[in-house]
């Protein structure tokens, strides 16, 4: 019933009441009064039904690892005296995180998975844009005055990703089913699922090429490009090592304290391409992308535990950013969280060919780093690009995560001293059941 129809109904009910009073007919008076009450209550629900309605989501943790189960609490509150006899809540969720028990209920809870809510009879605007990887989860509630309803769900984190929840569409009706009104809540939450981190088993030669020499806590030589902090000046320190900025702040002579000269740092390049070079733009196989992310995350964790600094780049963009993935090289143990977060947000389609991305980003690689290319589609063209993008002091290691023809040629043979290729054992194994990253 539209607002104009409610106005006409109220006028007709008032007219019937007046006629009943004038004619002394009690039935007409009773009918008119009941009709006025019904129309008045319907107008009250239409006008004030959305006042005091609150909808919240609570996650047990903002991040999770692939394979974890995250507790999610959905809370709906009616903070007013007017009850809500009929409230429909439609929440836009990522389909990958919809709990199995909700999906099993069919159209009761996933009633609007194939389309937006039905149009509002009074010109409402409730609308949820549907996407192929999202589901509109609907639930119907009845709320008493000042009542709060909580529902707890266990979200299975099956795949890595940065998942967004929301918006929310509300629709409420009066107790007589005469009116309906919609409203939108721009309530958004995020849950980041990190890729799995597995143990890495590599031959001694591969470990030496990837990790280089371990950082020594004490050394005769230090690297002036790696500032570790400052210390007070002592007799024997040279004037060239005085840190004038720290001296000015403290009022006492301070000397630079540099990290000792270390071995190679590890820079991981993730090749998002899963198709041949002539179809580099194709999104390809998402399962292969999961394997690439697992291998890159496992290598980063392995290197950081060994005391090797790690950096990361890819020829793909991250969710919520227009730039390609880039994580600066660092050796802090907390740096692994930044690496995992970047890999979780990496989109499963390339932004540009790998050989173009190498030409753009290779100048930012540390000069003494080992460059590890994690790819599912190794090719001579990519090998040439990474060879041209690296310096003589940089070691190149290609990790092939899919079976393919071996790279051969006289130019590649001549580069064997600085460019090594290792293959992922059992590349056809399913990423969700893999328990180890083994190189061979």
């Amino acid at each position: 019933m539209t607002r104009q129809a409610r106005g006409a109904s109220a006028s007709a009910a008032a007219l019937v009441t007046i006629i009943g009073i004038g004619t002394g007919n009690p039935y007409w008076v009773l009918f008119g009064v009941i009709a006025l009450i019904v129309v008045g209550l319907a107008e009250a629900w239409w006008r004030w039904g959305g006042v005091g309605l609150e909808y919240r989501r609570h996650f047990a943790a903002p991040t999770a690892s692939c394979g974890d189960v995250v507790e999610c609490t959905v809370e709906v509150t009616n903070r007013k005296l007017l009850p809500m006899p009929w409230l429909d809540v439609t929440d836009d969720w990522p389909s990958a995180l919809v709990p199995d028990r909700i999906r099993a209920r069919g159209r009761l809870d996933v009633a609007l998975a194939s389309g937006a809510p039905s149009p509002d009879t009074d010109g409402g605007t409730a609308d949820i844009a549907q996407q192929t990887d999202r589901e509109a989860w609907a639930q119907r509630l009845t709320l008493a005055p000042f009542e709060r309803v909580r529902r707890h769900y266990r979200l299975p984190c099956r795949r890595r990703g940065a998942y967004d929840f929301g918006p929310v569409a509300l629709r409420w009706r009066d107790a007589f089913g005469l009116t309906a009104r919609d409203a939108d809540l721009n309530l958004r939450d995020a849950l980041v699922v990190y890729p799995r981190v597995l143990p890495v088993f590599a031959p001694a030669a591969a470990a030496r090429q990837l990790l280089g020499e371990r950082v020594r806590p004490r050394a005769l030589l230090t690297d002036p490009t790696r500032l570790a902090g400052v210390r007070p000046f002592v007799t024997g320190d040279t004037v060239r090592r005085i840190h004038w900025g720290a001296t000015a702040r403290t009022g006492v002579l301070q000397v630079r304290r540099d990290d000792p000269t270390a071995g190679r740092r590890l820079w991981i390049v993730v090749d998002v391409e899963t198709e041949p070079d002539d179809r580099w733009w194709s999104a390809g196989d998402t399962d292969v992308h999961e394997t690439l992310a697992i291998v890159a995350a496992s290598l980063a964790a392995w290197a950081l535990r060994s005391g090797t600094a790690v950096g990361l780049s890819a020829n793909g963009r991250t969710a919520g950013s227009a730039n390609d993935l880039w994580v600066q090289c660092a050796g802090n143990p907390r740096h692994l969280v930044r690496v995992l977060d970047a890999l979780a947000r990496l989109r499963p389609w390339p932004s540009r060919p790998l050989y173009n991305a190498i030409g753009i980003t290779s100048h930012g690689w540390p000069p003494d780093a080992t460059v590890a290319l994690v790819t599912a589609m190794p090719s001579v063209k990519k090998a040439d690009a990474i060879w041209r993008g690296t310096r003589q002091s940089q070691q190149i290691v290609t990790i092939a995560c899919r079976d393919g023809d071996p790279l051969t040629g006289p130019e590649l043979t001549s580069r064997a001293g600085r460019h090594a290729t290792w293959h992922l054992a059992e590349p056809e194994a399913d990423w969700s059941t893999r328990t180890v990253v083994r190189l061979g």
Side-chain angles (χ1 to χ4, degrees):
M1 179 182 290
T2 64
R3 198 169 188 181
Q4 291 79 7
R6 292 196 298 274
S9 300
S11 300
L15 180 61
V16 169
T17 303
I18 293 173
I19 293 175
I21 294 174
T23 59
N25 190 330
Y27 298 104
W28 281 47
V29 174
L30 179 63
F31 176 79
V33 171
I34 293 176
L36 282 174
I37 293 174
V38 169
V39 174
L41 289 176
E43 178 66 20
W45 264 300
W46 186 90
R47 185 183 297 272
W48 295 296
V51 177
L53 279 181
E54 295 180 359
Y55 184 89
R56 290 191 177 93
R57 309 181 202 90
H58 303 278
F59 295 103
T63 60
S65 296
C66 192
D68 292 348
V69 176
V70 177
E71 296 285 344
C72 176
T73 301
V74 176
E75 180 181 293
V76 185
T77 307
N78 179 28
R79 296 185 180 277
K80 61 179 179 298
L81 188 61
L82 185 67
M84 300 300 294
W86 191 329
L87 175 64
D88 290 330
V89 181
T90 305
D91 197 353
D92 196 27
W93 279 30
S95 58
L97 295 181
V98 174
D100 295 333
R101 71 184 181 93
I102 292 181
R103 197 185 302 277
R105 292 178 183 174
R107 294 189 59 82
L108 176 61
D109 281 338
V110 194
L112 302 172
S114 59
S118 56
D120 180 17
T121 56
D122 285 327
T125 59
D127 184 24
I128 292 180
Q130 298 298 308
Q131 303 176 22
T132 57
D133 61 344
R134 303 189 68 81
E135 293 188 23
W137 166 53
Q139 55 180 327
R140 182 163 294 168
L141 303 171
T142 298
L143 299 176
F146 304 102
E147 182 182 6
R148 177 184 290 122
V149 174
R150 289 192 182 98
R151 292 183 176 180
H152 304 276
Y153 302 97
R154 294 168 59 85
L155 309 186
C157 302
R158 301 185 181 94
R159 284 182 178 266
R160 68 174 180 90
Y163 298 101
D164 295 324
F165 293 77
V168 180
L170 301 178
R171 162 167 289 201
W172 60 89
R173 298 176 184 270
D174 60 87
F176 313 103
L178 299 178
T179 61
R181 191 172 186 181
D182 294 343
D184 291 339
L185 297 179
N186 191 24
L187 176 66
R188 299 182 182 272
D189 293 293
L191 178 65
V192 179
V193 179
Y194 296 153
R196 298 171 63 203
V197 177
L198 304 178
V200 177
F201 291 93
R208 189 165 52 251
Q209 291 166 351
L210 287 168
L211 303 182
E213 301 174 359
R214 292 188 177 180
V215 179
R216 298 182 178 87
R218 295 180 178 274
L220 295 176
L221 300 177
T222 58
D223 189 344
T225 65
R226 300 176 182 173
L227 178 63
V230 295
R231 60 173 177 80
F233 180 89
V234 296
T235 304
D237 290 332
T238 64
V239 178
R240 290 179 299 176
R241 298 188 56 81
I242 294 178
H243 194 294
W244 296 108
T247 299
R249 288 194 302 271
T250 61
V252 180
L253 279 177
Q254 301 289 322
V255 179
R256 291 172 53 96
R257 183 167 56 85
D258 299 325
D259 278 337
T261 301
R264 298 180 185 272
R265 288 174 280 185
L266 180 63
W267 189 273
I268 302 173
V269 179
V270 180
D271 180 16
V272 187
E273 301 174 28
T274 58
E275 297 294 334
D277 290 340
D278 57 346
R279 297 197 307 274
W280 64 267
W281 41 265
S282 176
D285 190 348
T286 56
D287 290 338
V288 176
H289 288 129
E290 294 297 325
T291 300
L292 293 172
I294 289 173
V295 173
S298 302
L299 287 176
W302 178 49
L304 288 170
R305 284 195 298 266
S306 301
T308 302
V310 174
L312 181 70
S313 63
N315 60 330
R317 295 186 175 94
T318 57
S321 174
N323 301 320
D324 288 354
L325 183 149
W326 180 275
V327 179
Q328 194 63 39
C329 194
N332 192 306
R334 292 176 294 180
H335 184 61
L336 180 60
V337 176
R338 292 191 287 268
V339 173
L340 294 178
D341 184 80
L343 288 172
R345 298 175 185 274
L346 181 62
R347 294 173 176 174
W349 56 83
S351 59
R352 55 174 57 89
L354 179 68
Y355 47 83
N356 288 348
I358 290 174
I360 296 173
T361 62
S362 59
H363 66 277
W365 300 345
D368 60 346
T370 294
V371 179
L373 172 62
V374 180
T375 178
M377 295 298 296
S379 66
V380 176
K381 194 171 186 179
K382 296 175 182 178
D384 290 340
I386 200 168
W387 179 267
R388 292 192 302 268
T390 54
R391 302 175 177 88
Q392 189 66 31
S393 60
Q394 293 172 323
Q395 179 79 18
I396 305 171
V397 178
T398 297
I399 300 175
C401 298
R402 181 191 283 181
D403 286 332
D405 298 332
L407 302 181
T408 59
E411 293 185 359
L412 297 180
T413 303
S414 63
R415 303 171 185 171
R418 194 163 65 90
H419 190 169
T421 300
W422 297 90
H423 295 269
L424 178 66
E426 300 180 354
E428 71 282 353
D430 184 50
W431 65 270
S432 59
T433 58
R434 185 181 291 277
T435 58
V436 66
V437 173
R438 190 182 302 275
L439 305 180

